[in-house]
Amino acid sequence: MEEKARMKKGICLTALYPQAMENAELLLELFEKVKEKERFDCVEFYFHGKPEEELRIGKKLKQLQLASVFLAGFPMKRDKVDLSAGCDEIRKKGVADCLKLYESAARMQADKMLILSGPAWEMQDGKSRDGILLQMRNSLQEMEAWMGQDGPQITLEFFNDKGEPWLAVGDVAMVQELFGGMPETKIGITFDTSHAAQLGWDVLPAFRMLQPWIGHLHLANSVSREKRHPLFGDKHPLFSIEGGDFSLARIRKLYRTLEQSGDLEQVDICSFEVISRGEEELYFERTCKEAAYVWEQEGAGNFGM
């Protein structure tokens, strides 16, 4: 029997160093910086540049033996790419936009390309839950047709559909219905702990509902209970902040529970996602320490708990 590959552990560089999204030299330096930390063997990032820069990035990732996730969700959210649009012309344009992003991901030899659905139906005319599901399935099946055997795997990240950032897909039950209603698919799900919290779900039951399709996990924090908090919404603060949905102790316990119960057997990449707000180096080091505490058997560092 073929032995399952060890899960890769990563860090979302774009969230920490947004300036690297269009600076190939800085991104290459950051790959080296991550490699030196040893605990990480995966990087997640978005990059927009020339094809020759993308080829250099792919070569560097292979040289450093780093797995990678291309975060296509960033430009998709920015440009309002809509894979579930009621208008088929808009939906097909969204699929075509994703193909261009996929070609970039392939040049950079990414292991996965993360996508999202598009704007929530409440904000548009002529859309409904059933319409979203129908159109989203059409888009995913069209994308799967050009997803090569050796190319990046496409993975769909679901977001809050009743609050910030108002995306169509969507609630946990809706995501389950979306994938449960499709033939067997190579497209996977990205499960973000903060997105489950923002939707009002407990992480463990939400994860287990979607577990057959989850191959990618983001460990991320949020503030969803206090609307007046400056970090309210989908802002991915550190786990050590006051008022977050997850303390460091809680996210470590959740991760350990999923690990020990075998629920992570199909997850091949698990990454920490923290958004810096200036002071990138401080946020990078703090994220590394929080990751060590969660992932290492005996924990690491002193976080005042």
Side-chain angles (χ1 to χ4, degrees), residues 17 106 156 175 289:
Y17 296 93
L156 175 68
V175 181
K289 288 181 180 179

Side-chain angles (χ1 to χ4, degrees), residues 2-169:
E2 186 177 346
E3 185 178 351
K4 180 185 180 296
R6 181 176 62 84
M7 182 177 72
K8 304 289 186 182
K9 294 178 178 177
I11 186 168
C12 294
L13 286 176
T14 295
L16 290 164
Y17 296 93
Q19 63 270 40
M21 291 190 285
E22 295 185 353
N23 185 332
E25 295 304 323
L26 174 58
L27 187 60
L28 295 172
E29 290 174 13
L30 291 173
F31 291 165
E32 297 273 8
K33 186 182 183 74
V34 169
K35 185 67 176 180
E36 289 171 3
K37 287 294 182 183
E38 296 184 346
R39 70 174 56 87
F40 299 112
D41 49 12
C42 176
V43 289
E44 303 201 16
F45 66 95
Y46 169 67
F47 175 76
H48 174 72
K50 298 175 182 177
E52 53 266 33
E53 291 177 312
E54 294 173 342
L55 292 171
R56 283 181 62 208
I57 287 167
K59 184 177 179 180
K60 188 67 170 181
L61 288 168
K62 293 306 172 186
Q63 176 192 332
L64 295 174
Q65 297 183 308
L66 286 171
S68 64
V69 179
F70 181 62
L71 299 174
F74 176 80
M76 291 179 71
K77 188 190 294 187
R78 179 195 62 202
D79 300 336
K80 295 183 169 53
V81 174
D82 196 346
L83 296 178
S84 66
C87 171
D88 226 37
E89 183 179 353
I90 294 174
R91 184 191 67 77
K92 284 182 176 292
K93 181 183 183 303
V95 174
D97 289 342
C98 283
L99 176 55
K100 293 177 184 177
L101 290 165
Y102 191 81
E103 289 168 347
S104 288
R107 278 193 290 271
M108 291 183 279
Q109 302 188 55
D111 295 278
K112 295 181 186 289
M113 183 175 93
L114 183 150
I115 64 168
L116 43 78
S117 63
W121 67 266
E122 288 94 340
M123 300 177 70
Q124 301 178 50
D125 295 330
K127 293 183 74 174
S128 67
R129 180 187 174 93
D130 289 344
I132 288 170
L133 290 171
L134 173 64
Q135 293 293 75
M136 196 67 203
R137 286 192 191 109
N138 287 337
S139 292
L140 293 179
Q141 287 167 356
E142 289 172 20
M143 293 169 74
E144 187 163 12
W146 44 252
M147 188 172 76
Q149 287 287 338
D150 299 325
Q153 181 202 24
I154 292 171
T155 178
L156 175 68
E157 185 171 27
F158 63 93
F159 286 78
N160 193 350
D161 60 342
K162 300 294 190 295
E164 185 192 4
W166 299 97
L167 296 186
V169 182

